[in-house]
Amino acid sequence: MDWLEFRSTFGADFYNLKGKQFYSKNSPGGALDNGRAWQTARNELSLISENYFTLNKSFDAHKVNLVTGWSVQKNTSEYASAYAYDFENELLGYNSLGLGAQFQVSSNAYERFLASYLARANYSYDDRYLLTVSYRRDASSIFLENKWGSFYSGALAWNAKNEAFLESVDLISNLKFRTSWGQTGNQNIPIQGALLDGEISDYTFDGQYYTGVSASTLENKNLNWETSQQLNAGIDLGFFGNKLNIVADYYVTNTKDLLLYTPVSISTGFEFGWFNVGELKNSGYELAINYGLTTDIGFKWNTSLNITSSKNEILALGRDGEPIYIDVNFDTKVKDEVILQVGGSINDYFGYKVEGIYTAADYDVNGDLLPAVPSEGAGELPGDVKYKDISGPDGTPDGFIDAYDRTVIGNALPDFYGSFSNNFSFKGVELDVVFNFSYGNDIFNATKTRISAFTAAGNQTTEWLDSYVNNPSSTQYSRMTSSVPSELLIEDGSFLRLQTLRLGYNLPTSLTSKIKAQSVKVYLAANNLALFTKYSGYDPEVTSNQGGASFIQGFDYGAFPRAKTFLLGLNIQF
């Protein structure tokens, strides 16, 4: 039965790590502990089995393709560590941890399962009308009582070029209209996200010291799959024998039951927990344009432009609908730099607006601030940052700078982003040039809280040399009086990057045939060669999110810049 096919695959991925370290009492690493040593071992195993039936049938102008099957995936991990210090006898080092007077032992293990069932049907009539419907059901061990999720999708397409009224139109070589609707699921949370997990905890009872176990995470039996529904409409265009191709798409995605690590009532005994807490809408467009040219003398040029624009809006936050404040944890003083609120957007930066600096005109003859000048009560001096008084307890400005004055001060999402590439070839010489770009995204330059606050010892930027205290006519602030998120830390992250520049030469066959090679190419390539941006940090495309939520982007707290790389290569095919 050549119309029926069964395929079964099995894969395994092993990861084993052993670590051993010993520091003598005479070494800098072991002097304070009178010698220290430890051993660690980690074993990870990932297994996956996929099994599918495929049916292909054609009759007259009809074509049918059916796929059904199942897959199972299992991930396991085991970890153990033993640490000892205060050695009287160091002869055996880490091979005899029992010789240490003090020691610590820890271990953990987990298993994770994912099972899936899939069914998909494709139908085509005369290669003009196309229909696809699919269904999948997934189960994840991450969830306690809602392990299963069902997801549906469907798509329609009309290949208008194959209609009789367009067959003789040479200008248009391809014209297809597409629309689709589909659901996808997300279960990407930590292994203990829904569980009541425990951790080693010391306590005293009846005057004695004991080691026990205390709860470390909040249990949520009702946690379930996050579901995204996307509606998409698109068009494929081809002109001049598909030398010019245009692909355009518009999409709207609604995500329900968002999986978020959110603050909880202190009465629970925890600060945060995993919940399905809201609904998010994403919409935007994607445009791809490609043109290829070949001349009679053998010169070839291919150019392509890809551009994407995306916006999102928080439609609901579940439970009480109150805003959720996210601390990125880059600093022990600056808190809650991101706000999630109904009507807002993911990655909204939250802080104080700035309306300049305090100057001598803001003070009376006694050196006190004038009544009409807002204050945060920090003993502001001329040259200090002046934050804007936006609101107060009754919803109107009250002359005090406090939590009521915080508002949205930026967003990490760009207005649009994409890439532009060109490929040239002529008589064996090839040149590839690729640019990446982003426009309209903001960067939270948290590094400024260390090098541009002008309030603490340590290296500071040279901006201070032209600040108000050194030049009374300057608008440059002399210090930040408070470690708070504000517009001073928000910068335009737009950029244009020369991502790839590659020059190659293909040796002529008259030379490659002498070594019986099909082709020989020598090339020189450079990556991240140039960056054009107004951002004051090293790189606007780097994120150093040290906590909070994984989707938070655009934070730069001493992030290491991307490296420039140069490569000289030789490619020989026999």
Side-chain angles (χ1 to χ4, degrees), residues 20-22 37-39 87 90-99:
K20 299 179 180 181
Q21 295 189 41
F22 173 71
W38 64 86
Q39 290 198 34
F87 285 83
E90 297 184 336
L91 183 62
L92 298 178
Y94 53 66
N95 288 317
S96 185
L97 297 178
L99 293 178

Side-chain angles (χ1 to χ4, degrees), residues 257-260 262 274-279 316-319 324:
D257 296 330
L258 281 167
L259 290 168
L260 286 179
T262 64
W274 283 97
F275 292 92
N276 298 104
V277 295
E279 183 177 349
L317 282 177
R319 296 191 292 168
I324 296 174

